[in-house]
Amino acid sequence: MNLYDRIIELIKKYDKISLFFHQNPDYDCLGSVFAFQSFLKQKYPKKIVMIIGIETLTDEVLLNFPSIKANGSAKDTWINKSLGIVCDTSNRERINDQRYMLCEKIIKIDHHPKVDDYGYLSFVNEKASSCCEILFDLFYYWSKKNIKLNVAKYLYVGILTDTNRFAYPNTTTQTLDVAIKLFDILGDERIKINQKLYSRTLNDVAFFAEVQTLVKYDQKNNLAWLIIPNSLFKKYKKEPQSCVGCMSNIKDINVWASLYYDEKANSWKGSIRSNSIDISKVAKKYNGGGHKLASGFSIPKESQFNKVLIDLKKL
Ligand SMILES: [Mn+2]
């Protein structure tokens, strides 16, 4: 039996499924869990599929996502009779709700480098652009007629954002093959998804314009960085976020990093991006990790950011 068959057989055995995603969720992990929920609901209407912790996310995080409905919080006694499926999360500490431990069994589905091998079953494909790409492949193998419009929407959003609209090097012929099949299902819907996903409010435009003025450059070391004060998020009523993308595609800047304070976690959250150099090792050194060209880290003090920058300069 191949791994897909083993995953399918295990899911079939459970009436209760708990879906988990990663902290600071992006559209790939959210797309994955919402697609999974929609797919399973269509294929097995009697199963109860809960996205654990979804009710803790703010509207801003979910804003651009097509037709999301929160489904209330799950009790511990429910979770401990369920099968857990964790999407897009390389290590256990990063799972959004640590009650994943209560699940009878866990399935991990991910495309990040394998830093933590967890789960009763683990499907990791580092060559996949996104977790959503893997799920499309799994669902297509499982029951392609159940990849209905809603499932396709969620998966498309995840692939689109994780590949930066098919521009990042993680886009492969396999990714495009999946995109072709999704286009067929989505029809004109994909244009609406694009518009909704990438539309900006005037408040956003003003916010990012101000963020841009805070970027510092070290042209000698081809490095850019940014520290976003919490007052700025408050001023524009924005959820704290990395804004690391505002430093991408700058000529002769090869590595860029941002930092902001995360009140909930009581720590400083950082993001590092690169256009060619592997920066994941630096992220790992500072309590983080991720991909070669896109990683995150977490430090207890703002002053430690200097050490991160020195390590990045050495690259
Ligand atoms: Mn992802």
Side-chain angles (χ1 to χ4, degrees), residues 22 26 28-29 88 110-112 129-132 162 291:
H22 60 72
D26 60 6
D28 184 33
C29 72
D88 198 39
D110 189 28
H111 70 120
H112 294 90
S129 69
S130 50
C131 192
C132 283
D162 256 28
H291 304 280

Side-chain angles (χ1 to χ4, degrees), residues 13-35:
K13 280 187 195 145
Y14 280 83
D15 301 327
K16 298 183 175 76
I17 314 274
S18 298
L19 293 162
F20 296 87
F21 47 95
H22 60 72
Q23 295 165 5
N24 303 313
D26 60 6
Y27 286 126
D28 184 33
C29 72
L30 291 176
S32 296
V33 291
F34 281 104

Side-chain angles (χ1 to χ4, degrees), residues 48-49 89 137 147 163 180 255:
I48 303 171
V49 186
T89 313
D137 208 44
I147 307 179
T163 61
I180 289 168
V255 173

Side-chain angles (χ1 to χ4, degrees), residues 181-276:
K181 294 187 178 98
L182 284 172
F183 272 33
D184 279 340
I185 303 166
L186 291 168
D188 287 348
E189 222 22 69
R190 75 181 171 87
I191 298 159
K192 283 188 214 160
I193 292 170
N194 263 291
Q195 284 167 348
K196 211 171 173 184
L197 205 53
Y198 293 100
S199 79
R200 300 179 299 160
T201 62
L202 284 174
N203 184 61
D204 284 344
V205 175
F207 168 72
F208 283 106
E210 208 168 322
V211 169
Q212 204 75 50
T213 65
L214 301 173
V215 179
K216 302 268 191 293
Y217 301 96
D218 175 351
Q219 283 175 292
K220 207 179 87 199
N221 289 299
N222 310 95
L223 183 71
W225 68 93
L226 161 71
I227 300 171
I228 312 152
N230 262 35
S231 55
L232 201 59
F233 296 123
K234 291 204 173 86
K235 180 179 171 188
Y236 290 97
K237 297 190 170 64
K238 297 283 290 177
E239 226 15 72
Q241 55 192 277
S242 83
C243 306
V244 72
C246 78
M247 293 173 282
S248 56
N249 303 318
I250 301 173
K251 196 168 178 286
D252 297 327
I253 296 297
N254 298 335
V255 173
W256 54 102
S258 75
L259 189 76
Y260 70 92
Y261 181 65
D262 182 347
E263 275 173 15
K264 274 181 235 156
N266 187 26
S267 68
W268 291 80
K269 286 258 147 64
S271 297
I272 315 172
R273 298 290 182 271
S274 155
N275 53 18
S276 54

